[in-house]
Each structure stands twice: as C-alpha cells, then as structure tokens.
Amino acid sequence: MLFLKLLKESFLFANDALRQNKLRTFLSLLGVTIGIFTIIMVFTAVDTLRNNLQNSVNKLGNNSIYIQKFPWGGGDDYPWWKYMQRPDPKIREFDQLQKLSQTALAMSYEINIDNRIVKYKSNTVDGAQIDATTQDHDITWNFDFEDGRYFTGLESRAGAPVTVIGYEIAQDLFPGGGAVGKQLKIMGRDVTVIGVFKKEGNDMLGITDDKEILLPLNFAKNVVDVQNGNYQPNIIVRGKPGITDVEVESELRGLMRSIRRLRPGEDDSFALNKTSVISNQLDSVFGVLHAVGLIVGLFSILVGGFGIANIMFVSVKERTNIIGIQKSLGAKSYFILLQFLIESVFLCIMGGLVGLAMVYAGTFGAKAIWDVQIVLDVKNFIIGIGTSVTIGVISGIIPAYFAARMVPVEAIRSN
C-alpha cells in the first residue's frame, strides 16, 4: 500500500510538472525520445536487413552443400587464378556420389544455361533465367507452387519437353492465366508448361524463381553441353534429417577426393560451399552494426539524461518547502528519495514511449515506400523501455538523494 501511495503521489507530481512547465519538460524529454528512437530504429533496421538476407539464404537450403569449382567468398587475396584451373563437377561424379553417399537425403546436378528469349504465340519475354536440373531439385531447394506440379521421375529420366516457369514469366506470357498445359518456344524447342512457381518477389541477394524457367537436365542435354563450364555446373546435396552439415561435408570431401583420385596431402580440386558460412558472416557483420547503433543511441540518450537530471534538480528546488513539510510530518528519507526517483523514471518512460511510437509509425512508412517486410521485434521494445528506466534511475538518483537529505527546518524556511 505504501508503494502504491508513493507511486500515485510521484505520478501526480510528475503530471503537475508537465502541465506547469510544458516547454521545459518537452525539451528535457526530447533528448530521451531521440535517443530511444535512434537505438530502436537502428536495431529495427539491422534486424530487418538481417531477416531479409537470411530469408534469401534459406532459399538455398539450411542443410545443403554445394559442390562447385569456386568457394564462396572474395576479397583482395582471393586466389581466383588457382580456382580457375579446377575441373567443373561432372555428371559421372554426380552419379557416383548418389551411389556412395550415406548421409545425403537428396542430390541434384544443376546448370544455369543463361538468359534467353522465350515465346508464346505473339508474347515474348526477354532475359528469362533458364536452368536445368535432375529430379531431386524439389528437395535440395526450397520453393512453392502457384499452380501445377514438378517433374515426375519418368519425365526427368526421359528428358521430356516439360518445364516449370516463374510467376513473372507466367504473367508476361499468359496475362489471362492458365499457363499450365500451354507450349512455349524455348531455344527453338516446344516445351509444355506443367507448373508455375509461387511469387517470391525480389530479395536482397537477387535469389528468386519469379523469372526462372526450369527444365529437366536430360532434356537440356539435347540442346546444350550440360557439362560446359560456361553453364556453371554444380552438385547440390541435402543431408538427411538429424545429420549435421559438418558430417555431410566430411563425407562428401572424402568421396570427392576418392572419385577424383587425389593423393593424401594434395589440395582439394573442388569447393564445398554451405549456407551456414553465409549465416555466420551475416551474424558477424550485423553484430558490429548493432554495436555501432547502440553507441550512437547512447550518446543521444546521454544528452537526454542530462536534460532529465536538470529538470529534476529544478523540481527539487521548486518543491523544497513541500519536502520540508513532508519530513516534518514524519516522511522518511527513503520516501522522499523514491518519490523523486519514480518521477524521474516516469518522465524517461514517457520520452521512451514517444520514441517507440515514432519507430512504430516509421515502419509503416518504410513498408509503404520500399515494400519490404519490416521486423519490429518485441525485444527491441523491451530494450527501449529498459533503457528508459535505466536512464531515469541514473538521472534522478542524485537530485533525489539531495532531496532526501534535506533538513526539515531549513527546507521550510527556504524560498
């Protein structure tokens, strides 16, 4: 009951200060508002960027390993000349891996033929991304269908003239819908559409199926040399549930070295790339961005903290007579200290809530302008309120301490 009474009186005093000194209070709270807004806005922007990038990475498969010629990465010391001499993954190696691997749930051999012109009657799409793959592509990659289905095993083995197309390709070639069952002209061949990928939109890594045309690899063999390095051949392996990517990677390294007959101590002539490498790099980069945002926001809050401390010192000065009367009537020192401390925290929370409201409103504007999925995590709101309370305690403790130590007689006599 005592605490509730104290809380009520502190709230009334703070509310009275707000009403009587609106401009002074506004200027004092502005620093806290800007500080909280800066911290949470930076955290929200970083989380949004991180989430969108991670969603792009997830399309590659959380437990998938890519056997390729070049390792993922770059930089000034990237020895591209060394990797250029490596052989591209071959279909023979893919077949052997399928027979020997014990950790793989699925494997697919995939190539990127290039951007080509695709036609349906008088409608034409320029720059379609044409890919060809083996049967298990629907397991090694993550995608959904808007309409239709994926290749059957028989269609894949026979190299049937069928295709699955992206959402944008379907919209451009078939504005009225009904793409499934229609025949396209691709690389001079008639190909029947059996499925349409669900719309994904543009992501931050440029990974999307919206403009893709997917063909069975055995069909593509009739048109191009599917093992040509210009088509970036690679083997994608997804591990079985319960088996870590480290175990899958270890097995694949041993199998590939055996298949390519590499001697002990000889460097690998292939790269095993996995999405966890990208995720770890993202964690490192965004950890730094979080720290930078926190530092910038803390400087803003520091200014706000000085403003709150100033208004609390002024409040103690204005209410010195009241403090003297309270103490002369038996109020304990801790009661006076808590009264001003709660008032300081209350003022900071008000500033923090305004800052959080600004962030919340800003997310709607950002979503409308850039059409991105904004991540407004609950933990950021908790950080905002927690920071406000902390600044309130730090800013108000010294003024509250001075108020609590006042001598009743001297306080009553003061002007």
Side-chain angles (χ1 to χ4, degrees):
M1 293 298 295
L2 180 62
F3 177 77
L4 293 177
K5 180 180 179 182
L6 181 61
L7 187 63
K8 178 182 177 182
E9 290 188 9
S10 299
F11 174 79
L12 293 175
F13 277 125
N15 185 57
D16 186 60
L18 286 173
R19 288 189 292 103
Q20 293 183 10
N21 305 284
K22 293 183 178 64
L23 181 59
R24 184 183 71 186
T25 303
F26 170 75
L27 294 175
S28 299
L29 296 182
L30 188 60
V32 175
T33 298
I34 293 174
I36 296 297
F37 172 80
T38 302
I39 288 179
I40 305 307
M41 197 64 192
V42 170
F43 283 1
T44 299
V46 171
D47 288 345
T48 297
L49 185 60
R50 175 72 173 80
N51 183 71
N52 282 277
L53 284 172
Q54 188 60 53
N55 287 339
S56 299
V57 172
N58 290 342
K59 293 178 184 178
L60 302 176
N62 295 327
N63 193 24
S64 293
I65 294 179
Y66 291 69
I67 304 175
Q68 298 172 313
K69 184 175 182 177
F70 292 91
W72 293 346
D76 296 334
D77 57 346
Y78 188 78
W80 58 268
W81 49 269
K82 174 183 176 182
Y83 303 135
M84 279 287 293
Q85 301 174 23
R86 291 177 171 180
D88 292 294
K90 304 298 182 183
I91 294 179
R92 174 185 61 83
E93 296 170 338
F94 166 73
D95 292 335
Q96 288 183 278
L97 285 175
Q98 278 192 311
K99 295 176 182 177
L100 298 173
S101 177
Q102 299 296 315
T103 62
L105 173 66
M107 292 187 192
S108 60
Y109 186 93
E110 310 192 2
I111 63 171
N112 183 339
I113 296 177
D114 209 345
N115 296 339
R116 301 289 181 94
I117 296 175
V118 180
K119 296 181 179 180
Y120 174 72
K121 295 183 178 180
S122 60
N123 296 332
T124 302
V125 172
D126 190 8
Q129 173 191 331
I130 300 180
D131 298 324
T133 182
T134 52
Q135 176 63 25
D136 286 346
H137 175 80
D138 61 332
I139 303 176
T140 57
W141 274 74
N142 297 324
F143 54 81
D144 296 310
F145 284 99
E146 180 75 21
D147 191 17
R149 60 177 177 82
Y150 186 64
F151 314 134
T152 64
L154 179 61
E155 289 169 337
S156 182
R157 290 190 298 272
V162 293
T163 183
V164 180
I165 64 176
Y167 184 84
E168 288 190 20
I169 300 291
Q171 292 294 306
D172 291 340
L173 294 180
F174 310 99
V180 175
K182 303 293 177 56
Q183 282 195 334
L184 308 180
K185 182 71 74 173
I186 302 175
M187 297 182 294
R189 303 294 183 94
D190 290 327
V191 180
T192 302
V193 178
I194 61 171
V196 177
F197 290 120
K198 188 175 182 179
K199 183 179 181 181
E200 293 183 347
N202 295 323
D203 62 25
M204 306 193 75
L205 293 181
I207 302 172
T208 178
D209 292 325
D210 289 349
K211 294 183 179 181
E212 183 182 28
I213 291 182
L214 190 64
L215 300 169
L217 186 75
N218 286 339
F219 170 78
K221 283 181 180 179
N222 301 322
V223 184
V224 298
D225 177 9
V226 296
Q227 299 185 103
N228 191 313
N230 294 330
Y231 301 136
Q232 303 171 16
N234 64 99
I235 300 171
I236 304 177
V237 182
R238 171 162 285 191
K240 293 178 179 178
I243 298 179
T244 66
D245 58 352
V246 176
E247 294 175 284
V248 178
E249 180 183 18
S250 177
E251 184 200 48
L252 290 177
R253 175 167 280 109
L255 291 177
M256 283 297 295
R257 290 185 62 86
S258 175
I259 291 171
R260 291 192 172 180
R261 300 180 180 179
L262 299 177
R263 295 187 299 272
E266 190 175 356
D267 290 341
D268 292 340
S269 61
F270 53 88
L272 300 178
N273 298 313
K274 52 185 180 179
T275 57
S276 60
V277 174
I278 302 177
S279 297
N280 292 336
Q281 291 176 343
L282 291 178
D283 290 338
S284 176
V285 171
F286 288 110
V288 174
L289 292 179
H290 264 290
V292 171
L294 181 61
I295 292 172
V296 172
L298 286 178
F299 275 108
S300 300
I301 286 182
L302 184 63
V303 175
F306 282 120
I308 295 296
N310 177 66
I311 195 175
M312 291 309 300
F313 273 117
V314 172
S315 182
V316 170
K317 182 68 175 177
E318 291 177 344
R319 286 151 48 187
T320 301
N321 289 336
I322 298 176
I323 295 171
I325 294 172
Q326 285 180 317
K327 299 198 73 174
S328 67
L329 293 176
K332 302 295 184 180
S333 295
Y334 74 86
F335 183 89
I336 303 298
L337 184 142
L338 289 176
Q339 178 179 300
F340 282 94
L341 196 59
I342 291 174
E343 182 177 337
S344 173
V345 171
F346 173 72
L347 292 173
C348 283
I349 289 177
M350 286 190 61
L353 289 175
V354 173
L356 291 173
M358 291 170 60
V359 173
Y360 188 71
T363 59
F364 288 100
K367 188 174 183 179
I369 295 173
W370 293 296
D371 191 26
V372 295
Q373 185 63 40
I374 305 297
V375 178
L376 197 57
D377 204 323
V378 175
K379 73 175 182 179
N380 289 339
F381 281 95
I382 296 175
I383 291 173
I385 297 299
T387 304
S388 300
V389 172
T390 302
I391 293 299
V393 172
I394 295 174
S395 302
I397 190 65
I398 296 178
Y401 177 74
F402 283 146
R405 293 197 61 188
M406 286 183 179
V407 179
V409 176
E410 294 179 0
I412 293 173
R413 288 177 180 176
S414 65
N415 294 324

